Structure formats: C-alpha cells, structure tokens
C-alpha cells in the first residue's frame, strides 16, 4: 500500500506572515505522522520561516522550482543546495506553468532532475497534456515522451525518490477536473511507462499524484482509483479548511 502524498503548491501567493500563519495551523492540526504525507510548497521568500514553524512536525516542505547549476552567474535563480539549506525536502519540477510560461523544455527539466536528486531533494515531477493534445488523441504519446526525456539517464535508485504528478493542463485552475476514470487511465499508463520504458522494477510502489482543480468534493472519488496516490493542489491548497479537508479525506 502506497502512502498518499497531498501537496499544496502555493504558486506566487502568500506573504511571509500569511505563510507562517497557515503553517502554524497545519502543524497544530496534523502534529503526529498520519496516513498521508503532507507537503507544502511556499514561495521562495517564505521557505525559511515556514521551515522554522514546521521543525519537529511531520509536514514536509517543497520548493516550486530550482536551477540545475550548483552556483554561478544566474541572476534570479536558486540552486538545489540553497533549497536544502532553506529546509526543503521536495522540489516541484516541470510544472506546466514553468513549461508553458517560462519555456522549460524536457531537456532543461532533465538537468533539473539530475541536480535535484544529486542534492538529495525529492522531485515532484509534473507531466500532463494540453487540451489540444488530448483532443487530437496524443495524450499517451506526450506523457510517454515527457517521462522518457525528463528522466533520461536517471538510475532506478533515483526513480525511487521521485513522486510523479499527472496534471492535465486543461484541468489546472479551470475548475475542470479530469473524471476519476480519465485520471486513472493516465495514471495506469504512467505506471506502465515507468515499468517498461524506464525498466524500473518497483513501479508498483511509485507515488503518482493527480493535480488539476482538486478540492474536498472531488478528492474522495479520485483517491478511490487504484493508481492515484494523492494530489497536487493549487487553488484549494491556499485555503486552510479546504486543504485540511483534502488531507482528511485522503486518510484511510
Ligand atoms: P489547481 O492547480 O488545483 O488550482 O488547478 C493545480 C496545480 O497547478 O498544481
């Protein structure tokens, strides 16, 4: 049985006081390790303060992005070592907003994956098709390519450190969730691709979470699917009650 992961991606939201207040409430409510791994991904500016609040709690911290180089003249960028230093255990890599709005290619993401894993960060590796790709029937092809290219030369040992996040681009921030069966179909395909194309013997244990308009109302039916092991939550993860509700529903 895979322990579900419920992660909140705060994107470009929350000041330091807002992030700290949320983290304090979360720590109070989920003070003991439970049936779900809880992750929050604050903006860079709030990482350190959130880490200080969550010290000694079972809640994990993720960054939303990173650069692949260790250091150097890369104005505005943050390295994996800096994220570890700030208290991160996870890092989101390849979010569709990074791919679409900031031109991140599979090749760049592959470099980020190598750098993250080398620093001991656990990547939450995002993949997903656009509406156009879904409608033209190329969803599986796109997903397979994103996995093969993004994870080029990643060793089996490293694959065990990765959580995959299937996020259909058309479902992000739109209020349109993939139906549980639509999501399950792709999650199953992702698991098969990890087993067959990456030749990973333990794909049955890989965490594959769903993202795209997840809320407390649709969490239960998504989590009922055999290959859905949690959620990457955007909008509903900004609101404490909604996020806590999603966690509660995911606890079995
Ligand atoms: P959403 O975002 O829950 O607001 O759709 C999900 C995400 O972008 O990870």
């Amino acid at each position: 049985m895979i322990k579900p992961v419920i992660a909140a991606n705060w994107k470009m939201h929350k000041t330091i006081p807002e992030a700290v207040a949320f983290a304090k409430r979360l720590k109070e409510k989920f003070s003991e390790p439970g049936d779900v791994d809880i992750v929050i991904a604050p903006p860079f500016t709030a990482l350190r303060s959130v880490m200080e609040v969550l010290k000694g709690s079972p809640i994990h911290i993720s960054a939303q992005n990173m650069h692949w180089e260790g250091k150097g003249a890369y104005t505005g960028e943050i390295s994996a070592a800096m994220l570890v230093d700030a208290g991160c255990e996870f890092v989101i890599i390849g979010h569709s907003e990074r791919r679409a709005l900031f031109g991140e290619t599979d090749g760049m993401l592959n470099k980020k994956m190598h750098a993250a894993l080398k620093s001991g960060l656990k990547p939450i590796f995002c993949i997903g098709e656009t509406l156009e790709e879904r409608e033209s029937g190329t969803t599986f092809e796109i997903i397979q390519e994103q996995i093969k290219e993004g994870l080029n030369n990643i060793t089996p040992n490293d694959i065990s450190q990765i959580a995959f996040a299937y996020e259909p681009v058309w479902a992000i921030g739109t209020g349109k969730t993939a139906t549980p069966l639509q999501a399950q179909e792709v999650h199953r395909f992702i698991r098969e691709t990890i087993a067959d194309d990456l030749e990973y013997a333990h794909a049955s244990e890989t965490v594959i979470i769903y993202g795209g308009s997840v809320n407390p109302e649709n969490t239960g039916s998504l989590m009922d699917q055999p290959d859905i092991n949690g959620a990457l939550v955007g909008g509903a993860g900004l609101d404490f009650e909604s996020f806590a509700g999603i966690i509660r529903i995911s606890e079995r």
Side-chain angles (χ1 to χ4, degrees), residues 59-155:
I59 300 158
H60 310 276
I61 303 174
S62 176
Q64 300 174 16
N65 182 30
M66 55 168 265
H67 195 266
W68 57 82
E69 291 293 345
K71 60 179 169 201
Y74 301 98
T75 302
E77 295 292 336
I78 303 270
S79 73
M82 290 170 180
L83 297 180
V84 172
D85 190 35
C88 292
E89 200 180 321
F90 290 82
V91 58
I92 299 172
I93 292 184
H95 190 281
S96 65
E97 286 152 15
R98 299 297 319 169
R99 293 176 187 262
L101 304 175
F102 301 97
E104 294 193 2
T105 61
D106 289 328
M108 289 158 79
L109 300 177
N110 183 242
K111 289 198 259 184
K112 291 186 183 207
M113 291 297 287
H114 281 280
L117 289 160
K118 203 169 148 211
S119 295
L121 286 168
K122 295 179 188 159
I124 299 174
F125 180 59
C126 302
I127 48 182
E129 81 288 2
T130 62
L131 185 59
E132 206 180 19
E133 289 159 349
R134 175 158 283 265
E135 285 175 347
S136 65
T138 56
T139 297
F140 292 137
E141 239 169 81
I142 294 293
I143 297 283
Q144 191 172 26
E145 172 140 336
Q146 288 173 340
I147 294 175
K148 278 172 83 169
E149 304 281 321
L151 300 193
N152 193 22
N153 283 327
I154 301 281
T155 62

Side-chain angles (χ1 to χ4, degrees), residues 33-243:
D35 297 338
V36 169
D37 275 328
I38 304 169
V39 182
I40 53 175
F44 288 137
T45 47
L47 284 175
R48 179 84 193 181
S49 313
V50 166
M51 182 270 268
E52 266 152 23
V53 172
L54 294 180
K55 236 184 244 167
S57 91
I59 300 158
H60 310 276
I61 303 174
S62 176
Q64 300 174 16
N65 182 30
M66 55 168 265
H67 195 266
W68 57 82
E69 291 293 345
K71 60 179 169 201
Y74 301 98
T75 302
E77 295 292 336
I78 303 270
S79 73
M82 290 170 180
L83 297 180
V84 172
D85 190 35
C88 292
E89 200 180 321
F90 290 82
V91 58
I92 299 172
I93 292 184
H95 190 281
S96 65
E97 286 152 15
R98 299 297 319 169
R99 293 176 187 262
L101 304 175
F102 301 97
E104 294 193 2
T105 61
D106 289 328
M108 289 158 79
L109 300 177
N110 183 242
K111 289 198 259 184
K112 291 186 183 207
M113 291 297 287
H114 281 280
L117 289 160
K118 203 169 148 211
S119 295
L121 286 168
K122 295 179 188 159
I124 299 174
F125 180 59
C126 302
I127 48 182
E129 81 288 2
T130 62
L131 185 59
E132 206 180 19
E133 289 159 349
R134 175 158 283 265
E135 285 175 347
S136 65
T138 56
T139 297
F140 292 137
E141 239 169 81
I142 294 293
I143 297 283
Q144 191 172 26
E145 172 140 336
Q146 288 173 340
I147 294 175
K148 278 172 83 169
E149 304 281 321
L151 300 193
N152 193 22
N153 283 327
I154 301 281
T155 62
N157 195 34
D158 282 344
I159 294 171
S160 69
Q161 299 303 303
I162 303 171
F164 290 73
Y166 169 56
E167 299 205 305
V169 180
W170 47 272
I172 296 178
T174 57
K176 267 192 229 166
T177 331
T179 64
L181 287 178
Q182 269 174 329
Q184 164 57 27
E185 190 186 27
V186 181
H187 279 236
R188 169 54 56 95
F189 178 76
I190 292 169
R191 205 176 295 286
E192 284 168 3
T193 304
I194 296 167
D196 300 343
D197 292 13
L198 302 183
E199 297 178 11
Y200 183 55
H202 305 288
S204 62
E205 293 159 27
T206 298
V207 173
I208 309 174
I209 64 180
Y210 170 81
S213 299
V214 172
N215 58 40
E217 286 71 49
N218 57 31
T219 298
S221 53
L222 287 163
M223 291 298 294
D224 281 344
Q225 300 301 316
D227 288 294
I228 299 184
N229 314 120
L232 182 53
V233 189
L238 292 169
D239 176 73
F240 182 78
E241 295 303 338
S242 301
F243 188 56

